[in-house]
Amino acid sequence: MRLLHLPAHEYRRERWRNERGWTREIHRHPEGAADWQWRASIAEIDQDAPFSPFPGCDRELVLLAGEGMHLQFEDGERERVPMMPPHDRLRFAGERALHAELVNGPTHDFNLIWRRDALEATLLHRPLVGAMVFFAEPGVTWLVHLMQGTAHVKDLARPLRLAQGDSLLMTHDPAGPSRRILDGGGELLLAKLSPV
């Protein structure tokens, strides 16, 4: 498996499409492409605001920090969904119009977006207690985001250490190892992205 360390201090901060908030981009694939297949970022919501639409995409949102918010969907019966601490989450279609109403101050939210015609995505929230093994699968990408704690990848010639807020991208490499071992203690978000 090929590894790419994504340190938190290198995330690129940019405005939302609708100019109503900020996001710190963790990674997009293909890297640097305007027409990406998937993207992971941390949304910074500091005021009540509508979300940017992403037609053709599905999304999953996980509350990382803050007192929470209510997501008000504009379609159907104006569904109102709470996102409360510590780590409420919601999966929804990128076309759905919605508005965020903050409970008490800003929030930071992990935001995974992928094109549904190209990929299937699974997002897991897991504790890291000791070693966790990832096995290579053709076409499959893993994105690990360290929410809390510290971690390191074992069995490398040069140590690869993750601090809180860092991420790690693992992709299949036929010439590389068939597995990777992540060791440490804390909490993780694990995104598995597979071709449709």
Side-chain angles (χ1 to χ4, degrees), residues 100-114:
E101 300 171 358
L102 296 172
V103 171
N104 185 23
T107 68
H108 288 182
D109 308 273
F110 183 88
N111 186 26
L112 181 66
I113 309 175
W114 64 96

Side-chain angles (χ1 to χ4, degrees), residues 7-160:
H9 68 270
E10 293 183 7
Y11 298 163
R12 186 167 54 90
R13 193 168 186 255
E14 61 183 30
R15 294 293 280 173
W16 291 1
R17 284 181 176 181
N18 66 10
E19 302 288 322
R20 298 296 296 274
W22 291 90
T23 195
R24 285 180 290 137
E25 185 175 89
I26 297 171
H27 188 76
R28 67 173 62 189
H29 179 79
E31 193 169 356
D35 187 23
W36 40 262
Q37 289 192 337
W38 67 268
R39 188 183 81 166
S41 64
I42 297 173
E44 302 173 4
I45 305 176
D46 57 12
Q47 62 178 318
D48 294 354
F51 276 31
S52 301
F54 285 89
C57 296
D58 285 328
R59 307 178 64 166
E60 190 154 355
L61 202 65
V62 181
L63 182 68
L64 295 178
E67 296 298 315
M69 60 184 165
H70 294 276
L71 298 181
Q72 181 76 54
F73 287 92
E74 301 299 325
D75 55 0
E77 304 203 3
R78 296 180 62 86
E79 178 186 7
R80 193 166 186 261
V81 180
M83 293 275 293
M84 295 294 125
H87 302 300
D88 267 2
R89 59 196 293 174
L90 183 67
R91 187 176 178 122
F92 56 96
E95 296 88 355
R96 296 187 72 186
L98 75 155
H99 190 275
E101 300 171 358
L102 296 172
V103 171
N104 185 23
T107 68
H108 288 182
D109 308 273
F110 183 88
N111 186 26
L112 181 66
I113 309 175
W114 64 96
R115 299 198 181 280
R116 69 174 69 94
D117 62 349
L119 297 169
E120 293 177 355
T122 303
L123 185 59
L124 307 169
H125 177 200
R126 293 289 185 266
L128 179 63
V129 184
M132 184 178 285
V133 182
F134 295 84
F135 292 96
E137 300 175 64
V140 171
T141 295
W142 283 96
L143 178 72
V144 177
H145 178 70
L146 187 61
M147 299 167 70
Q148 295 181 23
T150 59
H152 65 277
V153 181
K154 297 181 74 170
D155 304 327
L156 293 178
R158 296 176 59 188
L160 195 165

